[in-house]
Amino acid sequence: MSGEEVLVPLKGMDEPAVKDLKRSTSKGSDLDLKVSEAGDENTLEYRIKVMDEGAGKVVSLWHDINLVHLDPGTKEPTPYLNFVCEIPKFSRKKYEIATDEVGNPIKQDEKKGVLREFKKGDIYFNYGCFPQTWEDPTHIHPDAEGTRGDNDPVDVVEIGARLIQPGAVRPVKVLGILGMIDEGECDWKVVTIDAEDKWAPFLNDIDDVEKEIPG
């Protein structure tokens, strides 16, 4: 499908939404970050939060983590991006960042008061998002069949061997991207691998995945 990318204002908006992604207080890595839990698991009130132990404050996994991974020692940018894990591999609970809550903790998604899980069972990859990203609902991509962004952070699939816990932040290497249409919205999935995974040096794009670790 060919064409140009366009921005289409939402109803009642004169200009397309613009999001300022630059924050001087962003965390460049998981240094000093501690994951904690609030409420009882398997309830609507259960939340996973992250604290900056050095600053003594709650960290928003969406807004306060830098997109580009910074070396914890030098604070210099690396070739990797920061991945925020929401759902660990070999699990099925649909955890997600609560984009409409203060501090943006992780919660289990629900529908009509019922906690949601993947219907087909456990997933075989770590699933989450890139911080400081946003699928713009005013943006129509030429390859997305006329659909708009879903108003959430960009989704990430991490295919490495490590089981990453919810709320953890890991440096990852981008291998490819998959565009999906979900209930009439464009939903991009970025395929990545943990920068410290044993296969990371051998995988540089999605074709390498099939070549080096088929299946």
Side-chain angles (χ1 to χ4, degrees):
M1 185 176 180
S2 61
E4 297 182 353
E5 298 183 29
V6 296
L7 292 174
V8 180
L10 298 175
K11 186 177 181 181
M13 293 176 60
D14 295 327
E15 298 290 339
V18 176
K19 206 164 182 72
D20 182 5
L21 298 181
K22 185 177 180 181
R23 294 173 63 91
S24 61
T25 58
S26 297
K27 299 287 293 184
S29 68
D30 63 353
L31 183 68
D32 294 332
L33 296 184
K34 181 180 180 181
V35 178
S36 63
E37 300 171 273
D40 294 326
E41 194 172 355
N42 301 317
T43 69
L44 295 173
E45 292 74 31
Y46 180 67
R47 296 292 184 272
I48 299 171
K49 301 180 180 181
V50 173
M51 291 286 298
D52 181 342
E53 291 191 300
K57 64 178 183 179
V58 174
V59 170
S60 164
L61 290 169
W62 189 13
H63 299 299
D64 296 334
I65 306 295
N66 204 50
L67 174 60
V68 175
H69 178 260
L70 304 183
D71 183 279
T74 65
K75 308 299 183 185
E76 292 298 318
T78 71
Y80 310 115
L81 300 182
N82 279 319
F83 162 63
V84 174
C85 187
E86 296 168 307
I87 308 172
K89 65 192 302 184
F90 309 134
S91 69
R92 66 185 68 184
K93 294 178 182 178
K94 284 194 170 185
Y95 287 129
E96 62 179 12
I97 288 179
T99 58
D100 57 350
E101 295 184 17
V102 175
N104 307 121
I106 291 176
K107 67 176 183 179
Q108 188 171 352
D109 190 22
E110 57 90 12
K111 188 173 184 179
K112 296 182 179 179
V114 178
L115 296 172
R116 299 183 67 195
E117 297 184 350
F118 289 106
K119 295 180 180 179
K120 294 186 177 181
D122 296 351
I123 59 175
Y124 296 98
F125 46 81
N126 297 297
Y127 188 84
C129 67
F130 280 143
Q132 297 194 26
T133 62
W134 177 57
E135 295 204 43
D136 189 347
T138 72
H139 181 249
I140 298 177
H141 193 280
D143 295 329
E145 300 182 358
T147 59
R148 306 170 185 248
D150 66 1
N151 203 35
D152 284 327
V154 174
D155 294 326
V156 177
V157 172
E158 192 283 316
I159 63 171
R162 181 192 301 258
L163 191 155
I164 305 175
Q165 295 298 329
V169 178
R170 297 291 307 165
V172 295
K173 185 184 204 179
V174 173
L175 302 176
I177 188 168
L178 175 66
M180 302 181 68
I181 308 299
D182 183 12
E183 296 183 352
E185 296 178 325
C186 181
D187 196 8
W188 296 97
K189 311 290 185 184
V190 183
V191 181
T192 69
I193 188 167
D194 192 296
E196 297 180 1
D197 190 273
K198 67 177 183 179
W199 285 104
F202 307 100
L203 305 179
N204 294 302
D205 59 35
I206 202 67
D207 291 333
D208 288 340
V209 177
E210 187 61 28
K211 176 183 176 183
E212 301 291 343
I213 46 175

